[in-house]
Amino acid sequence: MESKGLVMQDFQNVARELAPVFPTHSRWNGLTAASTSALMRTATMINLNCGDQVNSGLGVLISGVLSVEKELSDGRRALCVLFHEGDLVDLRRTERARQGNLIAIKESEFLALDEDQTAAWIAKCPDIAGMFIAEFGEHLARMRDHVTDLAFKTPLECLASVLFEFRRWPGVRLGVLQSGAFRVPISRGNIADYIGVKPETVSRAIRQLEREGLIDIPEPDQVLITNIPAMRCLANGGRPRQSTRKN
């Protein structure tokens, strides 16, 4: 794991030296030059390999995917939440022993923010405060949807819902191929840990979606949803249940 300090005097230096820091699709680019410069003065860019643990509890994910990983009492692994490019990561108020560890599940860049300085700038700068509020609101909506998936949906329905979730990710959306396919940002094993099933269950569900003509797999890391209305109905819990078991 490598880290380098970013000490910037103004937004022009940020843009010139990091060209740019934030992903082009990120709402963080809507901050004023003064607010961006303020955040960068004490920020640190951390380069992460897959599996690296992030010790900072506050920052912005510049590239890659992070997750909160928790090991259950019986040794099973759960990915509680996923963070994509441009996401605010704020775990300051959460007890680490209960929440699990923040890890990279692919090569990532994380802009760690100084907690005390950021709190001061939130109090002083309305646009920074508004950005944090907007990010919190989006995260709560995503967590609500994910809890619904885990509590009430079958594995097939959960997978359909997660594929739509990935399709909405800004970084993936920019990489949408001309065919309409999108890149799945994490492995099938990580998808399994995210929706609470075994990896072979994810593989079976993908094959079933292919057989039913709902998706195509142009490449191993790509998905093309070929019947969006039927797939959306499935993702919303529209498939009659034979069992409530997930494995």
Side-chain angles (χ1 to χ4, degrees):
M1 184 186 305
E2 302 175 357
S3 63
K4 54 181 180 179
L6 303 179
V7 181
M8 307 299 177
Q9 297 303 314
D10 53 34
F11 178 73
Q12 286 73 26
N13 286 342
V14 173
R16 182 169 60 254
E17 295 185 22
L18 298 174
V21 173
F22 299 120
T24 56
H25 55 267
S26 169
R27 61 162 58 98
W28 293 94
N29 290 303
L31 292 177
T32 65
S35 294
T36 301
S37 178
L39 287 176
M40 293 300 170
R41 286 195 186 106
T42 56
T44 302
M45 185 72 81
I46 304 174
N47 298 317
L48 301 160
N49 295 316
C50 182
D52 283 348
Q53 183 173 332
V54 185
N55 294 319
S56 173
L58 179 65
V60 179
L61 182 58
I62 304 303
S63 66
V65 182
L66 300 183
S67 181
V68 174
E69 178 189 60
K70 188 172 180 61
E71 185 173 336
L72 305 181
S73 298
D74 61 0
R76 287 177 297 163
R77 172 182 183 252
L79 298 180
C80 306
V81 62
L82 297 177
F83 297 100
H84 60 63
E85 294 178 5
D87 269 350
L88 170 69
V89 178
D90 188 350
L91 306 178
R92 292 173 294 170
R93 299 170 185 83
T94 309
E95 187 178 336
R96 286 296 180 94
R98 293 182 180 179
Q99 76 178 9
N101 297 316
L102 181 64
I103 64 163
I105 54 177
K106 63 187 303 184
E107 289 189 0
S108 304
E109 294 176 297
F110 182 67
L111 187 68
L113 301 176
D114 181 270
E115 295 185 8
D116 293 335
Q117 290 294 322
T118 301
W121 286 116
I122 289 173
K124 293 178 182 178
C125 302
D127 59 333
I128 295 179
M131 188 67 67
F132 271 68
I133 291 171
E135 286 285 315
F136 287 146
E138 181 175 320
H139 292 176
L140 285 173
R142 278 159 44 186
M143 291 174 66
R144 175 201 62 206
D145 291 342
H146 187 51
V147 167
T148 300
D149 289 348
L150 296 180
F152 298 106
K153 295 181 182 178
T154 64
L156 192 66
E157 293 167 341
C158 282
L159 178 61
S161 182
V162 165
L163 291 178
F164 273 115
E165 177 182 344
F166 292 155
R167 191 170 181 263
R168 291 191 297 269
W169 280 22
V172 172
R173 189 166 60 244
L174 287 180
V176 170
L177 307 177
Q178 290 184 351
S179 65
F182 59 93
R183 288 186 172 86
V184 177
I186 63 177
S187 69
R188 293 185 181 183
N190 284 327
I191 291 174
D193 290 337
Y194 184 51
I195 64 176
V197 299
K198 296 178 181 178
E200 52 266 35
T201 303
V202 172
S203 296
R204 286 197 300 268
I206 289 174
R207 290 194 297 269
Q208 182 174 344
L209 293 176
E210 286 187 278
R211 287 196 304 270
E212 295 184 9
L214 299 182
I215 65 170
D216 282 334
I217 309 294
E219 299 290 342
D221 65 340
Q222 297 173 13
V223 170
L224 171 64
I225 299 177
T226 53
N227 189 335
I228 290 179
M231 188 74 163
R232 196 174 299 281
C233 179
L234 177 62
N236 289 334
R239 180 65 57 90
R241 292 169 176 267
Q242 300 300 318
S243 171
T244 58
R245 293 184 61 189
K246 291 202 166 191
N247 289 302

